[in-house]
Structures are given as C-alpha cells and as structure tokens.
Amino acid sequence: MEEKIYEIAVVDDEVEILQIIDKYLKRTKKYRVTTFSNPKIALDSCVKTKYDLILLDIMMPAMDGLEFLEKIKAEIPAQKVCMMTAYSTLDKVLKSHKQGAENYIMKPFPSLEALNEKIKTLLEK
C-alpha cells in the first residue's frame, strides 16, 4: 500500500528558513512542500489549494501570522496551522492558539528532526 504524501505550505519571510525546511522535508519523501515568502500570495494559494498543514511564521512584515491565521481560519475553519516564532512572546502564542492554531514551534528549531516530529504529530490528529 502506498504511503500518503502530505501537502505542506510553509510561510515565512526568511528565505533561508524556507530553503532549510523545504530541503529537509522533501528529503523525507513524506511531504510535498510549497514555500511562500509573501504571506499575501500564500493566503491566496492556501484558500485555493488543500494543504494538510500550514507552517506559519508569526512575525512577517507584509502581513503578520496572526492576521493570516485569522483569515485562513475564516475561509477554512478545519485548516491545520502550526505557528513558528523566534520571539517567544507568550501573548502572541496564546492569541494564535485562541485563533485556532494547533501548535507552535520555536525558531531556531531544536533540530529538523524535532520539527518533523511536531509535523507528524499534528498530521496524525
């Protein structure tokens, strides 16, 4: 039986982060990854395309992750979203959870394996 390939969208204004996540997740052969450095373009794509999970940075200049989360949840309430942040502002993490984010992960990631484990856990919910 073929193993499911999950569709993952990664939204982050830091191109290096996008490249690292993209390269690592594709290497596992369990994910098809689409990356976005512009949250407005990402939002349009995420509304039109079914992603199993969106990894979403909280702090971005064009549109912050909380605004993106609010808009994507209004369009697709069941969309799974994991927030990513380098700034452990408890207020923003709590607000993202209240708005429907399933979880969050701190950047820099403890390890790419830890990121993968978090993704696997979220996809199994």
Side-chain angles (χ1 to χ4, degrees):
M1 179 155 79
E2 277 189 45
E3 193 171 331
K4 178 173 172 49
I5 304 294
Y6 292 98
E7 297 285 343
I8 308 281
V10 186
V11 185
D12 197 313
D13 60 310
E14 294 179 60
V15 175
E16 301 82 25
I17 295 287
L18 294 175
Q19 291 170 340
I20 290 167
I21 294 172
D22 180 58
K23 186 176 180 180
Y24 177 77
L25 292 180
K26 283 181 177 173
R27 204 172 346 156
T28 69
K29 299 186 191 297
K30 295 178 182 175
Y31 311 109
R32 209 172 352 260
V33 181
T34 306
T35 60
F36 301 93
S37 59
N38 182 319
K40 292 178 181 182
I41 293 170
L43 183 61
D44 186 49
S45 176
C46 289
V47 168
K48 293 176 183 172
T49 305
K50 168 72 173 109
Y51 291 101
D52 295 297
L53 178 66
I54 300 171
L55 297 176
L56 177 62
D57 188 27
I58 290 179
M59 302 293 284
M60 295 180 288
M63 173 192 311
D64 79 9
L66 295 175
E67 182 182 350
F68 184 106
L69 178 62
E70 182 179 346
K71 289 180 179 190
I72 196 67
K73 286 293 193 171
E75 291 287 329
I76 309 167
Q79 177 63 64
K80 290 182 180 183
V81 179
C82 181
M83 305 304 286
M84 302 184 297
T85 184
Y87 309 97
S88 64
T89 56
L90 186 59
D91 179 53
K92 289 193 184 238
V93 170
L94 291 174
K95 190 171 183 179
S96 70
H97 185 69
K98 189 182 274 188
Q99 286 179 220
E102 273 66 37
N103 212 320
Y104 74 97
I105 190 162
M106 295 298 300
K107 294 188 305 186
F109 309 120
S111 69
L112 290 170
E113 291 80 17
L115 175 64
N116 189 31
E117 286 303 313
K118 174 97 50 173
I119 291 169
K120 285 193 324 193
T121 300
L122 290 169
L123 291 170
E124 291 168 2
K125 280 185 174 182

